């Protein structure tokens, strides 16, 4: 930053921070934007505070680094047309600006290219110095960025939320991946993040499950694989209950008295068992707690494979009956709910004017038998969370199928007099996963999903037997690559879009896939190992030697990473990060033939290695933000061919070709 300040006369770093969302200590390009705003103020006469937020990134490097659209500057009516005035402005732009080339004009746009030398000298040292922290901005999560002593803002992210003893379906998978990413994103932005897994762990079905375990349960199977064992028991007892109901219905049709049969039915037994649970019967609760605790232990093992952890395992069971009764009473007293045939419902059309009220429909909050429904439970839980955490933001990562439910929840919180809490809540929704099933059937436990993809990845790796034999612990590599495959395919498009679970496509080493991204990271790691330079040697490189267009273009992309992070905080879309990472890997891939390490002059080798190390840092930072585990070593290549003997028997032209291929293979790891 000091070097940049010295190059720009009159630029004061203290004054820079007066611009909104400007953090030059974490984003060097904020200095560039401030300088350009100052220059353009002199050129255009427009206030720099209007120009600064109007500067945006271009779609591709060939169109420049920053672009300014004249209409965004609120030009007075009746003056020159925008496409004419930008021509005049471009002509007035200084010939020898220290940071920017003369702008290029297209229609009413001005495109600005960074000058290579100062960019390379400012960006690469910053990345090498900040390392894993480059791109993140802890200041944005402060209650007052100008006074860190006031502390961090608090955010709750609720995601995953599977139902114990039921399949971990595709919706839970998407919620898990997206929620993990959001937790990482806000943590990088300096927020105090609490990750909550709100389990489906309460209700009459657990009474039924307890009956099933008493009849068919196996303690050993429960300890070894609680989730699958409980699910199998649940399916079995449900089948019996369905058959029993059908038989009772047939007997009833013939006029037979079925009072005793109904009183002793599995359905009624399950209801009575759950009543024991709600009455806090010690034995009933002990059995339920055992199921819950064992399931959570198993979930934690699986989540760890996805680099995901939770600060709290909450659930429907944690909401007390008294709290829900109190909410029901408040809804009645404030005339938000009303009675309807013995039940309580909310008719939003009577409470909210216009189309919005009709769209919110008429949800039930209490059944005729007095049982509170999910909506009542969620109201109680949200208010309790705010009392417990006093959060600044609360995110629900739930499928788009629950859009109406969440809108109803937030509106009820507002009608209860807590608009401040409702305004802090956000529903992050997502589309469906189509065509996903395991090879053993359609039950979609997360472990089954990951196992299937790892098996497919393993099969793909085996197709090249020579390379496969060079991989150390291929099963472990296949597992990491399989997980990367699933996560990258999920994050490739916008969250709201449906996508088809395509195992062949996602496990391919070609195209923009998880395996390709892992390969790109491993390759740049391999280059550093082969170069054999320490971090201190790399940091002391002469960056002025990086003048090739390939090198400069990589630096231009690296410079964008803090802005990509900041923009992602606005979009909350994983694809914002993923698209950038693939753009980066493509630039790296095209550079290896031009910016070779092995065989270069020592000073050039050191400078290029600094470039690749910076790329390695940014690529790894982006992958970890998404929740991926960057692979350091992809394959372990052992050259069994005697290269010297081979060269002896070849003609000169062939020897040269073999040497080039050897160097490329060596650099690739």
């Amino acid at each position: 930053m000091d070097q940049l300040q010295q190059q720009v006369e009159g630029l004061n770093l203290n004054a820079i921070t007066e611009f909104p969302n400007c953090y030059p200590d974490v984003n060097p390009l904020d200095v560039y934007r401030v300088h350009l705003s100052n220059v353009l103020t002199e050129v255009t006469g427009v206030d720099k505070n209007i120009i600064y937020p109007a500067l945006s990134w271009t779609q591709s490097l060939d169109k420049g680094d920053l672009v300014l659209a004249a209409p965004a500057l609120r030009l007075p009516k009746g003056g020159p047309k925008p496409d004419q005035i930008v021509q005049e402005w471009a002509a007035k732009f200084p010939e020898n600006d220290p940071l920017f080339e003369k702008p290029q004009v297209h229609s009413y746009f001005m495109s600005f290219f960074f000058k290579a030398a100062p960019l390379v000298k400012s960006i690469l040292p910053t990345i090498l110095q900040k390392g894993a922290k480059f791109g993140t901005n802890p200041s944005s999560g402060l209650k007052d960025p100008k006074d860190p002593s006031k502390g961090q803002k608090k955010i709750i992210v609720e995601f995953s939320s599977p139902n114990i003893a039921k399949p971990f379906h595709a919706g839970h998978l998407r919620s898990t991946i997206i929620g993990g990413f959001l937790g990482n994103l806000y943590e990088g932005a300096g927020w105090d993040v609490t990750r909550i897994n709100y389990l489906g762990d309460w209700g009459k079905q657990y009474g039924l499950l307890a009956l099933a375990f008493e009849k068919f349960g196996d303690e050993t199977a429960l300890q070894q694989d609680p989730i699958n064992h409980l699910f199998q028991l649940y399916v079995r007892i449900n089948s019996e209950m369905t058959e029993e109901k059908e038989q009772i219905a047939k007997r009833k049709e013939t006029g037979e008295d079925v009072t005793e049969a109904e009183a002793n039915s599995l359905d009624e037994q399950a209801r009575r068992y759950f009543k024991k649970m709600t009455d806090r019967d010690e034995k009933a609760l002990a059995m339920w707690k055992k199921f819950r605790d064992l399931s959570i232990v198993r979930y934690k093992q699986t989540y760890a494979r996805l680099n995901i952890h939770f600060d709290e395992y909450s659930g429907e069971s944690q909401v007390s009956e008294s709290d829900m009764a109190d909410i029901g009473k408040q809804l009645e007293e404030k005339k938000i709910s009303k009675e309807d045939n013995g039940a309580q419902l909310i008719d939003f059309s009577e409470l909210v004017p216009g189309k919005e009220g009709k769209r919110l429909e008429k949800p039930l909050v209490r059944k005729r038998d007095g049982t509170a429904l999910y909506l009542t439970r969620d109201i109680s839980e949200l208010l309790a969370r705010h009392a417990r955490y006093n959060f600044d933001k609360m995110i629900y990562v739930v499928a788009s199928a629950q859009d109406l439910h969440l809108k109803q929840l937030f509106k009820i919180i507002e009608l209860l007099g807590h608009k401040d809490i409702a305004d802090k809540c956000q529903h992050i929704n997502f589309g469906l996963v189509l065509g996903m099933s395991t090879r053993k059937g359609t039950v979609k436990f997360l472990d089954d999903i990951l196992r299937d993809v790892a098996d497919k990845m393993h099969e793909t790796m085996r197709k090249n037997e020579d390379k496969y034999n060079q991989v150390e612990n291929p099963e472990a590599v296949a597992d990491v690559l399989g997980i990367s495959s699933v996560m990258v395919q999920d994050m490739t498009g916008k969250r709201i879009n449906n996508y088809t679970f395509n195992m062949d496509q996602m496990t391919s080493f070609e195209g923009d896939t998880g395996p390709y991204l892992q390969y790109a990271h491993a390759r740049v790691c391999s280059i550093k190992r082969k170069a054999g330079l320490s971090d201190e040697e790399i940091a002391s490189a002469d960056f002025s030697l990086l003048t090739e267009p390939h090198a400069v273009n990589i630096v231009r992309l690296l410079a964008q990473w803090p802005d990509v992070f900041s923009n992602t905080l606005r979009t909350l879309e994983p694809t914002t990060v993923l698209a950038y990472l693939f753009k980066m890997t493509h630039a790296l891939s095209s550079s290896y033939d031009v910016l070779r390490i092995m065989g270069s002059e020592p000073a050039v080798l050191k400078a290029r290695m600094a470039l690749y190390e910076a790329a390695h840092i940014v690529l790894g930072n982006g992958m970890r933000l998404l929740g991926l585990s960057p692979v350091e070593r992809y394959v372990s290549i052992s050259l069994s061919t005697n290269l010297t003997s081979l060269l002896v028997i070849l003609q000169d032209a062939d020897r040269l070709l073999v040497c080039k291929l050897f160097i490329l293979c060596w650099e690739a790891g």
Side-chain angles (χ1 to χ4, degrees):
M1 292 305 98
D2 290 338
Q3 291 178 4
L4 281 177
Q5 186 177 0
Q6 291 168 10
Q7 293 186 57
V8 182
E9 185 178 351
L11 186 66
N12 185 297
L13 288 182
N14 291 327
I16 286 177
T17 57
E18 297 301 319
F19 284 84
N21 300 315
C22 183
Y23 303 95
D25 55 329
V26 298
N27 189 353
L29 292 189
D30 282 345
V31 178
Y32 280 74
R33 274 185 285 262
V34 170
H35 168 65
L36 184 57
S37 298
N38 288 334
V39 173
L40 289 175
T41 292
E42 296 295 324
V43 169
T44 66
V46 178
D47 188 280
K48 60 187 178 183
N49 291 299
I50 295 176
I51 294 174
Y52 183 83
L55 293 169
S56 59
W57 284 101
T58 60
Q59 292 296 315
S60 57
L61 294 181
D62 62 307
K63 293 180 173 58
D65 295 294
L66 294 174
V67 65
L68 180 68
L73 301 185
R74 310 174 204 169
L75 301 175
K77 295 181 179 180
K81 292 183 178 180
D83 56 346
Q84 293 176 335
I85 201 166
V86 293
Q87 294 283 355
E88 297 174 13
W89 291 344
K92 293 179 183 179
F93 196 86
E95 294 289 340
N96 297 307
D97 185 85
L99 301 184
F100 290 92
E101 305 286 356
K102 287 275 283 186
Q104 296 181 7
V105 175
H106 307 280
S107 181
Y108 51 76
F109 293 95
M110 280 197 299
S111 298
F112 301 90
F113 288 79
F114 298 139
K115 283 191 171 178
L119 184 75
V120 171
K121 291 179 182 178
S122 62
I123 296 300
L124 293 184
T126 302
I127 296 173
L128 296 174
Q129 180 184 359
K130 290 188 175 294
K133 294 183 179 179
F134 179 69
T136 61
N137 184 5
S139 297
S140 62
L142 296 176
K143 291 181 182 293
D144 182 355
K146 295 181 180 179
D147 185 2
S149 67
K150 292 184 178 178
Q152 299 169 284
K153 289 184 282 189
K154 179 73 178 178
I155 185 170
I156 308 293
V157 184
E158 179 196 298
F159 63 104
S160 195
S161 305
N163 296 304
I164 290 176
K166 289 187 179 181
F168 192 111
H169 60 65
H172 295 133
L173 172 64
R174 293 214 72 189
S175 176
T176 302
I177 292 172
I178 295 167
F181 156 74
L182 291 174
N184 296 340
L185 179 66
Y186 277 96
E187 211 162 55
W191 288 64
D192 178 10
V193 180
T194 296
R195 300 164 173 87
I196 293 180
N197 197 338
Y198 187 67
L199 301 170
D201 64 352
W202 200 244
K204 189 178 72 174
Q205 67 267 30
Y206 292 98
L208 190 62
L209 189 61
L211 296 177
F213 190 78
E214 289 176 358
K215 293 182 69 174
F216 317 117
D218 183 318
E219 186 64 33
T220 301
L222 179 68
Q223 295 291 336
Q224 290 178 345
D225 194 350
I227 295 172
N228 276 293
H229 184 56
L230 291 175
F231 174 67
Q232 290 166 4
L233 294 179
Y234 190 72
V235 170
R236 185 172 178 180
I237 199 76
N238 254 301
S239 177
E240 286 197 6
M241 184 175 68
T242 300
E243 185 178 343
E244 182 183 61
K245 283 183 176 180
E246 291 174 353
Q247 290 175 353
I248 291 174
K250 288 179 181 177
R251 290 167 59 188
K252 204 170 187 178
E253 287 176 2
T254 63
E256 186 178 344
D257 183 1
V258 294
T259 304
E260 185 177 351
E262 288 179 333
N264 294 306
S265 67
L266 288 172
D267 189 49
E268 184 58 25
Q269 289 180 59
R271 189 196 65 76
R272 289 198 295 265
Y273 196 100
F274 181 60
K275 182 67 167 56
K276 288 183 185 179
M277 291 168 60
T278 59
D279 291 341
R280 318 312 290 175
D281 178 87
E282 290 186 8
K283 185 178 179 182
L285 284 178
M287 177 68 77
W288 162 82
K289 188 174 185 300
K290 183 178 183 178
F291 293 161
R292 186 181 192 273
D293 291 349
L294 286 172
S295 296
I296 289 174
V297 169
R298 189 67 186 87
Y299 280 136
K300 286 181 177 179
Q301 295 170 359
T302 303
Y303 288 130
R305 296 171 64 192
L306 298 169
N307 295 320
I308 286 170
H309 75 277
F310 290 93
D311 302 290
E312 179 183 327
Y313 279 82
S314 180
E316 296 164 7
S317 61
Q318 308 304 300
V319 184
S320 71
E321 297 292 328
S322 61
D323 284 350
M324 287 189 289
D326 181 59
I327 289 298
K329 186 177 179 181
Q330 289 185 48
L331 292 172
E332 290 182 49
E333 290 176 348
K334 295 185 179 184
K335 301 189 183 304
I336 297 170
S337 68
K338 66 178 185 179
E339 186 177 344
D340 183 72
N341 293 325
Q344 290 293 124
L345 60 75
I346 297 175
D347 187 347
F348 279 108
S349 64
E350 297 177 356
L351 302 168
V352 181
K355 293 182 179 179
E356 183 186 1
K358 293 181 179 179
R359 291 194 190 104
L360 289 172
E361 300 181 2
K362 301 177 182 180
L364 282 175
V365 291
R366 194 175 67 217
K367 294 195 293 188
R368 292 179 187 177
D369 62 4
T371 305
L373 287 122
Y374 286 115
L375 193 53
T376 313
R377 193 179 298 275
D378 287 346
I379 296 166
S380 300
E381 175 64 9
L382 175 51
L383 294 177
R385 280 185 194 171
H386 192 266
R388 187 161 66 250
Y389 292 108
N390 191 26
F391 55 76
D392 297 281
K393 190 177 183 67
M394 165 79 203
I395 286 179
Y396 293 86
V397 187
V398 187
S400 56
Q402 297 298 315
D403 283 355
L404 178 60
H405 176 80
L406 271 301
K407 287 176 182 176
Q408 291 170 341
L409 171 62
F410 300 157
K411 181 55 70 173
I412 292 170
I413 294 293
E414 181 182 329
L415 292 171
L416 282 168
H418 304 291
K419 187 177 187 304
D420 58 326
I421 299 177
D423 289 344
K424 296 177 183 179
C425 296
Q426 184 177 5
H427 175 204
I428 298 297
N429 59 7
F430 50 85
L432 302 174
V433 183
L434 308 174
M436 187 172 79
S437 63
T438 66
R439 295 181 179 186
K440 299 176 182 178
T442 58
V443 177
K444 306 174 187 67
F445 289 105
L446 179 58
D447 280 343
D448 293 330
I449 295 166
L450 298 182
R451 188 183 305 115
D452 270 11
V453 179
D455 288 346
K456 178 64 177 177
M457 198 71 251
H458 206 184
E459 288 176 11
T460 303
M461 293 166 61
R462 279 186 176 278
K463 290 178 181 177
N464 189 324
E465 196 65 29
D466 291 339
K467 288 186 177 181
Y468 179 84
N469 291 332
Q470 296 162 10
V471 177
E472 296 178 9
N473 197 346
E475 288 81 9
V477 172
D479 185 58
V480 173
L481 294 180
I483 290 170
S484 299
S485 301
V486 172
M487 295 179 74
V488 167
Q489 186 178 61
D490 191 278
M491 295 183 285
T492 297
K494 288 190 175 181
R495 294 189 321 267
I496 197 61
N497 295 340
N498 300 338
Y499 75 88
T500 301
F501 192 85
N502 188 325
M503 199 173 292
D504 290 331
Q505 179 179 313
M506 75 167 69
T507 55
S508 172
F509 288 81
E510 298 178 359
D512 291 346
T513 64
Y516 172 77
L517 195 59
Q518 290 286 14
Y519 169 74
H521 182 270
R523 185 173 184 184
V524 78
C525 291
S526 176
I527 291 174
K528 183 180 180 181
R529 289 196 299 272
K530 297 301 184 287
L533 297 177
S534 67
D535 291 340
E536 292 74 18
E537 289 174 309
I538 291 172
S540 67
D542 181 358
F543 302 112
S544 67
L545 298 175
L546 296 170
T547 58
E548 301 88 348
H550 281 81
V552 174
N553 284 341
I554 290 174
V555 176
R556 291 167 70 195
L557 286 171
L558 293 173
Q560 296 178 6
W561 173 237
D563 276 3
V564 171
F565 182 93
S566 178
N567 188 40
T568 305
L569 199 60
R570 181 182 60 81
T571 66
L572 301 183
E573 291 279 2
T575 190
T576 306
V577 174
L578 197 59
Y580 167 81
L581 294 182
F582 281 125
K583 189 184 295 184
M584 169 64 64
T585 57
H586 296 162
L588 281 172
S589 179
S590 66
S591 73
Y592 292 130
D593 288 345
V594 179
L595 305 175
R596 292 181 182 173
I597 296 293
M598 306 307 293
S600 300
E601 293 294 325
V604 174
L605 184 151
K606 190 186 293 187
R608 289 177 177 175
M609 193 58 248
L611 175 69
Y612 287 135
E613 175 61 8
H616 163 234
I617 289 170
V618 173
L619 187 55
N621 289 354
M623 292 174 71
R624 282 185 289 272
L625 177 61
L626 294 172
L628 301 173
S629 298
V631 172
E632 298 287 328
R633 293 176 181 268
Y634 205 76
V635 294
S636 176
I637 293 180
S638 58
L639 298 176
S640 58
T641 305
N642 187 321
L643 184 63
T644 304
S645 300
L646 180 64
L647 293 178
V648 168
I649 62 173
L650 292 175
Q651 299 295 322
D652 289 343
D654 293 330
R655 290 176 192 168
L656 180 61
L657 176 61
V658 169
C659 287
K660 287 182 177 180
L661 288 172
F662 176 79
I663 291 170
L664 287 174
C665 289
W666 183 261
E667 289 182 349

